[in-house]
Amino acid sequence: MEELNALFHGFATVISPMNFLLMLVGIILGVLIGVLPGLGGANGVAILLPLTFSMNPTSAIIMLSCIYWGALFGGAITSVLFNIPGEPWSVATTFDGYPMAQQGKAGEALTGAFTSSFIGAFIAVVMITFMAPLVAKFALKFGPPEFFSVYLLTFCSFVGMGKGSPFKILASMTLGFALACVGMDTVTGQLRLTFGFHELMRGFDFLIAVIGLFGIGEILLSMEEGLAFNGKSARIDPKVVFNTWKQLPAYWATSLRASLIGIWMGITPGGATPASFMSYGVAKKMSKNGNNFGNGELEGVVAPETAAHAAGTSALLPMLALGIPGSPTAAVLLGGLLIWGLQPGPLLFVEQKDFVWGLIASMYLGNLVGLLVVLTTVPLFASILRIPFSIIAPVIIVICAIGAYTVHNAMLDIWFMLLFGVVGYVFKKLDYPLAPLVLALVLGDKAEDAFRQSMLLSQGDLSIMFSNALVGGITALALVMLFWPLISKLIALVKAPKQQQFAAERPVD
């Protein structure tokens, strides 16, 4: 009951005229960011974050989170109409969304995608509403060893549960740790890895890195591929919307399953992209129309969109309650909280109730407003893609440069942005993941501080990481996550002989 009272107070904060206007602006900007290939949710939030420094933190987080929701919605527009994923998590939507558009069902595909996104987000927000305070109360028992074990769990989960090569994830994360070390040591006050350059004293700002890695890197890749926009036009009328809504209840099991997959992948550092692919694969395997997936099946649009939005929303739970982001965008928002002077974690629910519950309330209203905006403005946003990419790309680069310069009002930051852009381009060409690098850059110094504080408490004894049931359990789970690829292979090897023996003993009809 206490959570509901706090939530209603949050709604009162959100529906103030200024905050509601910022919510609407955030949604529209987010959809625009989602529509334009080369800009992503994380990069859009990073570019616009400097503009919020003069705002009230509650108003700022409402606007930035709504940019995120809008980007999640916007990615579906290009996937369905142009077969161009505006966001990485929209790739799975192209499998059935674009064939539906080719068959003249673009309105049906888009309505299904937008509505499913709203459902996935709504289920995830309900989970956050009731679970976040419980997680925060539990986290109040944490000291330096417990915090380090949670950071360790996050890093190990990225390595063990990631879909790419563990060695590439480790290499990306190691570079992030190295960059996080540059600047002044927070414990001793000495300079590290500056090599005599005083400009490096403040270290590498994560905002500059994110703008370069995601924005400039993606633009360079798109320019190399010679991206051109060709696709179908779409108009969503009320008749199409209501006819599609009549079909959606038949896929309730798919939506619920996709929401659960998305929530799990959001809380663990999986993210929206693997959640959408996993949900699509599970839906294809369990659906009675699974053989028709890829040929224009509405269920093939519902599954990935529901999971992506549920994952994107639930990624904010560990960020708020523990100070550990579950996605690159959540990592950018985490940096924003620190810039505004707020410390994410359990005390945030005690010291900044208006902020936390205003954000949670904006998740409800933001997704509802986002659904209405995209249903009514699809033709407008789709027409943006008629503009040649040779015009759009320089505009995006200029926006990135402005965002980078405003962080410290320093020209050097633009050069750093371009350098990180080249790194992002090389990483994408070599298929190295960027999310672990950003995560390590944001959390590396905090993990180091927690570890060094733990070592000071124990006088250098590593057994402090198993000194009680809480820290020992989290550390053990982290090690299981780290070695999960090896553990899963061992389990498969043990099962294989038993299955062969069972097959040999089974009588032949």
Side-chain angles (χ1 to χ4, degrees):
M1 195 65 188
E2 184 183 343
E3 287 82 5
L4 290 176
N5 290 333
L7 181 62
F8 288 135
H9 185 70
F11 276 116
T13 303
V14 172
I15 60 176
S16 68
M18 187 62 188
N19 285 343
F20 192 81
L21 178 62
L22 288 172
M23 180 192 298
L24 195 60
V25 169
I27 290 289
I28 293 171
L29 286 173
V31 175
L32 181 62
I33 286 165
V35 164
L36 291 174
L39 280 177
N43 189 49
V45 172
I47 291 170
L48 297 171
L49 182 56
L51 303 180
T52 66
F53 291 167
S54 60
M55 288 185 188
N56 177 294
T58 305
S59 301
I61 196 71
I62 287 172
M63 179 179 170
L64 292 175
S65 62
C66 286
I67 290 172
Y68 187 25
W69 315 142
L72 283 163
F73 278 115
I77 297 175
T78 51
S79 298
V80 171
L81 299 183
F82 297 88
N83 202 27
I84 299 171
E87 298 283 357
W89 53 74
S90 300
V91 173
T93 307
T94 63
F95 299 160
D96 282 275
Y98 187 66
M100 287 182 73
Q102 296 294 100
Q103 297 163 17
K105 300 178 181 176
E108 183 181 325
L110 288 169
T111 302
F114 298 149
T115 309
S116 301
S117 296
F118 171 75
I119 291 169
F122 181 79
I123 293 173
V125 177
V126 171
M127 181 273 301
I128 289 175
T129 302
F130 293 101
M131 279 193 65
L134 297 176
V135 174
K137 287 177 183 175
F138 175 69
L140 284 171
K141 301 176 181 176
F142 282 27
E146 286 79 8
F147 273 113
F148 175 74
S149 65
V150 172
Y151 291 132
L152 182 66
L153 175 61
T154 305
F155 298 135
C156 290
S157 297
F158 257 97
V159 177
M161 304 299 284
K163 296 300 175 187
S165 163
F167 296 104
K168 288 185 176 182
I169 295 171
L170 269 174
S172 178
M173 196 175 288
T174 303
L175 179 59
F177 286 135
L179 294 173
C181 288
V182 175
M184 188 173 290
D185 184 350
T186 54
V187 176
T188 64
Q190 294 180 337
L191 295 180
R192 303 188 300 186
L193 301 178
T194 57
F195 303 105
F197 294 99
H198 297 295
E199 294 85 357
L200 293 176
M201 198 165 74
R202 65 169 179 256
F204 291 104
D205 194 288
F206 86 98
L207 259 179
I208 311 299
V210 167
I211 292 172
L213 291 169
F214 288 95
I216 304 299
E218 191 67 37
I219 286 292
L220 292 174
L221 200 66
S222 300
M223 289 168 68
E224 182 192 32
E225 292 170 353
L227 189 61
F229 302 133
N230 298 297
K232 295 289 180 180
S233 59
R235 188 175 299 278
I236 298 180
D237 56 56
K239 185 178 178 182
V240 171
V241 172
F242 288 118
N243 285 339
T244 307
W245 283 353
K246 286 179 184 177
Q247 298 178 51
L248 291 179
Y251 307 127
W252 68 270
T254 301
S255 296
L256 182 60
R257 191 166 53 240
S259 297
L260 294 175
I261 291 171
I263 288 170
W264 170 249
M265 295 300 285
I267 294 175
T268 60
T273 305
S276 63
F277 279 103
M278 187 184 298
S279 180
Y280 183 86
V282 172
K284 183 177 181 179
K285 189 174 182 180
M286 302 191 72
S287 172
K288 61 181 180 181
N289 300 321
N291 292 333
N292 196 43
F293 272 46
N295 299 318
E297 189 70 33
L298 181 59
E299 191 175 0
V301 174
V302 169
E305 283 296 311
T306 306
H309 234 73
T313 306
S314 58
L316 297 183
L317 171 61
M319 190 271 282
L320 286 173
L322 298 172
I324 296 183
S327 71
T329 310
V332 176
L333 290 174
L334 171 66
L337 297 188
L338 296 173
I339 289 170
W340 300 324
L342 301 175
Q343 180 61 50
L347 290 177
L348 194 66
F349 286 78
V350 179
E351 298 170 352
Q352 300 289 341
K353 278 191 174 182
D354 287 353
F355 174 85
V356 172
W357 290 104
L359 171 59
I360 293 174
S362 76
M363 293 181 192
Y364 285 97
L365 284 180
N367 279 288
L368 179 59
V369 171
L371 176 63
L372 297 175
V373 166
V374 290
L375 284 175
T376 54
T377 59
V378 163
L380 176 64
F381 283 108
S383 66
I384 293 168
L385 294 178
R386 308 295 176 190
I387 303 170
F389 188 74
S390 57
I391 295 174
I392 290 177
V395 171
I396 294 173
I397 290 174
V398 169
I399 293 171
C400 289
I402 293 170
Y405 182 80
T406 53
V407 175
H408 297 120
N409 294 327
M411 188 64 192
L412 182 66
D413 286 339
I414 295 180
W415 293 110
F416 281 150
M417 176 198 74
L418 294 173
L419 177 63
F420 278 112
V422 173
V423 172
Y425 167 78
V426 173
F427 267 48
K428 287 175 184 291
K429 290 292 288 183
L430 299 177
D431 198 26
Y432 277 76
L434 291 173
L437 191 157
V438 174
L439 183 80
L441 183 59
V442 173
L443 293 181
D445 55 345
K446 294 178 182 59
E448 182 191 3
D449 288 347
F451 179 75
R452 291 169 74 177
Q453 287 167 6
S454 302
M455 291 299 97
L456 287 171
L457 286 170
S458 66
Q459 296 182 345
D461 188 357
L462 282 172
S463 64
I464 193 172
M465 295 304 164
F466 297 91
S467 58
N468 58 60
L470 179 59
V471 68
I474 298 173
T475 305
L477 182 59
L479 295 175
V480 170
M481 291 290 104
L482 178 63
F483 296 108
W484 181 250
L486 295 175
I487 294 171
S488 58
K489 285 181 181 178
L490 287 173
I491 293 172
L493 287 173
V494 171
K495 282 185 176 179
K498 291 183 178 179
Q499 290 174 347
Q500 292 173 0
Q501 183 181 358
F502 176 76
E505 292 175 354
R506 190 173 61 182
V508 179
D509 295 334

